[in-house]
Amino acid sequence: MAHSIFDLFKIGVGPSSSHTVGPMVAGNRFVATLKQQDQLKHTTRVRIDLYGSLALTGRGHATDTACILGLMAETPNEVDPDNIQPYIEKVKDNNKLILAGERSIDFNMSDDLCFNFTKFLDQHANGMQICAYDEHKNTLLSRRYFSVGGGFVVDESELVQQENEQVCLPYSYDSARELLAICQQENKSIAEIMLTNEKKLGDADINNRILHIWRVMDSCIKRGINTPGTLPGSLKLKRRAHQMHQKLTDKNNTDNIDSLDWLNLFAMATNEENAAGGRVVTAPTNGAAGVIPAVLAWYLKFHSKDDDKAIIEFLATAAAIGLLYHRNASISAAEVGCQGEIGVACSMAAAGLAAVMGGTPLQVENAAEIGMEHNLGLTCDPIDGLVQVPCIERNTMGAVKAINASKLALQDDGTHHVHLDDVIATMHQTGLDMMSKYKETSLGGLAINVVAC
């Protein structure tokens, strides 16, 4: 169960938190268990089986690459994106893998990494199994992992345990109604409640850690802006942020430039960098990683008077809202469609913006509710399994909706008919009712009605 700001905002690499970051984490966990059980020295072969959405869109989401990196003990937050392709090419060329970064074993990607396209594991759409064998083909270790969204990974036992996990916090809440009641009783903002809880979790340097998260987001925007060319993959999609920035900064440009042009630029730059496998922050996922940074960057450029204070308040508020979705619904597109990614990011960004614009807790909750209400039913149907179309542009749309949701909420006193708790429950139920072909499988929607190449 997620409780911390840094559970939602995690530094990793693109293109997907559930399909790239999650499997890399699973690989790390597996080799750590091998070492803990003193079985690494006996391991001569490892096999990975991918199921459900991990299999169906795994190649486009670099799941195969992530699995190999995880088994090599490379971590999402530390691996150098520039080194990833050379690592993988070396494995392909030599049919060897340095397990846990220590032991060389035979590894053939076609035989030892299997995409089970027609099989889903019952527990979750993003399932995988890793097995280690000795020289006599005896099983040394076998584990099933589930990448449940936003880079979170659980094994079979943890799926049950997390439902009953209890953490003692100064301000414990399981719903937006409880959160608002605490804010009223303590006369505190949502950000203040979140930061107080964060201190109880043992972090002595919360503000600097939040600011570091923003610096990684900001660096991602800048790399996306400064990098021209074509994105990897079958679509051969041209990167647009670089040219967009040139037009916005061209002194001879006579077009009426709206501040939303910058918002679109920030979102597009982030998700083009994500699609290229660059360094990003889950917010709350990689596929939706551009919404929150774009809205925050837009606020800092056009409205902020105290950047550090605004960054901390914005991200702490957004995290408090994101935790409600993670706790009571899902942030996995494979489970509930893109409403669980772009929709949640839009809701979080709307709340963060309303907070830094001076909104009351009730107005912040209203902004979050509006942000999700108008993303209900949003499907996930990436063309050719790539986190590119419609994903990149969809981040710009999510950012625009977030700003409008915030503006609508701030124009009134926060009184409204639909509560955030109700829209979260609706989103979850809508996702469960949604046909699986619209949930990150590339078997429906745009994915089959648009020619990939």
Side-chain angles (χ1 to χ4, degrees):
M1 183 72 73
H3 299 281
S4 168
I5 294 168
F6 309 107
D7 286 332
L8 290 179
F9 298 121
K10 296 193 285 287
I11 298 169
V13 291
S16 172
S17 47
S18 59
H19 287 56
T20 315
V21 175
M24 201 184 306
V25 170
N28 268 275
R29 288 185 58 176
F30 185 80
V31 294
T33 304
L34 268 181
K35 292 178 70 172
Q36 183 183 16
Q37 296 184 2
D38 199 27
Q39 296 286 11
L40 181 63
K41 62 187 177 185
H42 301 299
T43 302
T44 60
R45 184 190 173 210
V46 172
R47 175 183 169 92
I48 308 156
D49 280 277
L50 302 173
Y51 300 95
S53 178
L54 286 185
L56 288 163
T57 60
R59 286 197 172 93
H61 285 54
T63 305
D64 44 1
T65 294
C67 289
I68 292 169
L69 292 171
L71 292 176
M72 294 169 64
E74 294 288 343
T75 60
N77 62 318
E78 293 182 347
V79 65
D80 185 340
D82 293 332
N83 289 337
I84 291 176
Q85 201 53 41
Y87 287 155
I88 301 305
E89 290 301 324
K90 191 172 181 180
V91 173
K92 287 180 180 178
D93 292 343
N94 301 328
N95 286 329
K96 296 282 186 182
L97 185 150
I98 310 300
L99 192 63
E102 299 177 18
R103 178 174 172 79
S104 178
I105 63 170
D106 293 334
F107 189 86
N108 186 301
M109 290 187 66
S110 355
D111 299 332
D112 298 325
L113 206 162
C114 183
F115 292 81
N116 297 281
F117 297 112
T118 60
K119 185 174 181 181
F120 284 72
L121 299 182
D122 292 337
Q123 296 92 329
H124 195 277
N126 288 333
M128 61 186 291
Q129 180 166 309
I130 311 178
C131 298
Y133 305 93
D134 66 14
E135 60 181 337
H136 303 295
K137 300 182 181 180
N138 297 313
T139 302
L140 299 173
L141 180 67
S142 179
R143 287 286 188 275
R144 279 187 175 180
Y145 299 101
F146 301 91
S147 184
V148 296
F152 290 92
V153 174
V154 294
D155 63 24
E156 289 178 291
S157 64
E158 291 166 335
L159 276 174
V160 177
Q161 291 173 4
Q162 68 173 350
E163 294 176 3
N164 302 315
E165 183 184 0
Q166 298 292 326
V167 175
C168 184
L169 295 171
Y171 302 116
S172 182
Y173 63 92
D174 289 317
S175 68
R177 288 182 173 89
E178 291 177 1
L179 176 58
L180 289 175
I182 292 169
C183 289
Q184 183 176 15
Q185 180 180 336
E186 301 294 326
N187 193 27
K188 292 180 181 291
S189 68
I190 290 174
E192 287 172 328
I193 296 298
M194 191 67 201
L195 292 169
T196 302
N197 283 348
E198 197 70 45
K199 290 176 184 175
K200 178 66 175 180
L201 293 171
D203 198 319
D205 201 15
I206 302 166
N207 288 354
N208 283 331
R209 282 192 70 190
I210 293 174
L211 294 174
H212 176 64
I213 289 293
W214 166 247
R215 286 192 292 271
V216 177
M217 290 177 169
D218 187 47
S219 294
C220 182
I221 292 173
K222 289 182 170 66
R223 285 195 312 274
I225 286 172
N226 292 327
T227 308
T230 304
L231 293 172
S234 58
L235 300 182
K236 306 299 180 187
L237 202 67
K238 179 183 176 183
R239 294 178 75 137
R240 296 157 64 186
H242 181 70
Q243 188 174 0
M244 288 171 64
H245 184 253
Q246 288 181 323
K247 288 182 178 179
L248 285 174
T249 55
D250 184 355
K251 294 180 181 178
N252 297 317
N253 188 352
T254 57
D255 292 342
N256 289 324
I257 296 174
D258 189 277
S259 68
L260 292 187
D261 292 325
W262 286 93
L263 178 76
N264 289 331
L265 170 68
F266 298 147
M268 187 160 286
T270 299
N271 277 80
E272 286 182 345
E273 190 62 21
N274 175 64
R279 175 76 65 217
V280 296
V281 176
T282 63
T285 68
N286 282 26
V291 177
I292 289 170
V295 174
L296 181 49
W298 174 86
Y299 174 79
L300 295 176
K301 183 174 180 65
F302 293 103
H303 295 280
S304 178
K305 295 178 182 177
D306 185 341
D307 285 3
D308 285 0
K309 181 177 181 294
I311 291 164
I312 293 165
E313 184 175 14
F314 186 108
L315 292 179
T317 304
I321 299 302
L323 288 173
L324 289 171
Y325 284 98
H326 188 268
R327 191 169 299 156
N328 298 313
S330 175
I331 58 171
S332 168
E335 191 173 8
V336 294
C338 199
Q339 56 174 356
E341 298 203 22
I342 291 292
V344 173
C346 176
S347 182
M348 292 169 65
L353 182 60
V356 296
M357 294 289 281
T360 65
L362 193 60
Q363 288 171 316
V364 169
E365 179 265 335
N366 188 16
E369 180 277 319
I370 295 170
M372 173 53 77
E373 184 179 342
H374 302 288
N375 279 290
L376 289 174
L378 192 61
T379 61
C380 180
D381 49 359
I383 297 175
D384 210 27
L386 296 166
V387 192
Q388 297 181 15
V389 181
C391 319
I392 294 171
E393 284 185 357
R394 189 166 284 176
N395 276 263
T396 70
M397 302 306 292
V400 171
K401 281 186 179 181
I403 289 178
N404 204 38
S406 175
K407 286 179 176 289
L408 286 172
L410 292 172
Q411 285 169 358
D412 211 334
D413 63 0
T415 304
H416 52 288
H417 291 287
V418 181
H419 200 278
L420 178 59
D421 289 334
D422 302 327
V423 85
I424 291 174
T426 302
M427 184 274 274
H428 192 211
Q429 188 59 55
T430 302
L432 296 179
D433 292 341
M434 191 181 292
M435 294 175 67
S436 63
K437 69 180 182 179
Y438 296 117
K439 295 190 282 190
E440 208 167 0
T441 62
S442 288
L443 297 176
L446 287 175
I448 63 168
N449 288 303
V450 177
V451 177
C453 57

